[in-house]
Amino acid sequence: QVQLVESGGGLVQPGGSLRLSCAASGSIFSIRDMGWYRQAPGKERELVALFTAGGSTNYADSVKGRFTISRDNAKNTVYLQMNNLSPEDTAVYYCNFHVINWFSRTYTYWGQGTQVTVSS
């Protein structure tokens, strides 16, 4: 079993910054890919940023140039630095890991979600 613990959400004014983190623990042999998704009220969950299995990064067009995904492999942790936030970024943010366990099976895990609210 794997647990994901998110932190770093909150209320911020437009133009402000926040940094989200998500730490994975448990039965982890390796992590195939990891990323961040978000879901705004009345909308479907969407990809924000992702480390692919090959190690490259993908970003939603709406966050390119403002958000940066990074990771600490030793800590099984992924981060999302969000700069120049706008009200359109208001959503619940979820981290997502595809974890390979010691039996070479891959499972998908989601964090509990953290609220990001951008408002003056």
Side-chain angles (χ1 to χ4, degrees):
Q1 189 69 6
V2 173
Q3 297 78 41
L4 303 185
V5 178
E6 298 183 30
S7 61
L11 173 65
V12 64
Q13 292 186 342
S17 297
L18 284 174
R19 188 191 194 210
L20 307 182
S21 64
C22 177
S25 62
S27 181
I28 300 171
F29 175 72
S30 66
I31 298 172
R32 191 187 74 189
D33 54 74
M34 60 181 81
W36 291 94
Y37 292 73
R38 67 185 181 187
Q39 188 166 19
K43 294 186 177 181
E44 294 187 353
R45 193 172 297 189
E46 63 176 1
L47 173 68
V48 177
L50 174 72
F51 275 110
T52 69
S56 60
T57 55
N58 289 336
Y59 292 92
D61 288 342
S62 59
V63 307
K64 285 181 180 177
R66 300 187 299 121
F67 291 12
T68 302
I69 189 171
S70 62
R71 62 187 178 186
D72 185 333
N73 291 332
K75 296 181 179 180
N76 291 329
T77 299
V78 64
Y79 305 95
L80 186 67
Q81 178 66 44
M82 305 184 292
N83 298 329
N84 194 21
L85 285 159
S86 71
E88 290 69 36
D89 297 314
T90 295
V92 178
Y93 284 70
Y94 298 90
C95 60
N96 171 271
F97 281 57
H98 286 97
V99 174
I100 301 172
N101 69 9
W102 295 96
F103 303 98
S104 299
R105 297 192 67 176
T106 302
Y107 294 91
T108 300
Y109 295 95
W110 291 92
Q112 80 276 16
T114 186
Q115 177 70 46
V116 172
T117 302
V118 185
S119 175
S120 55

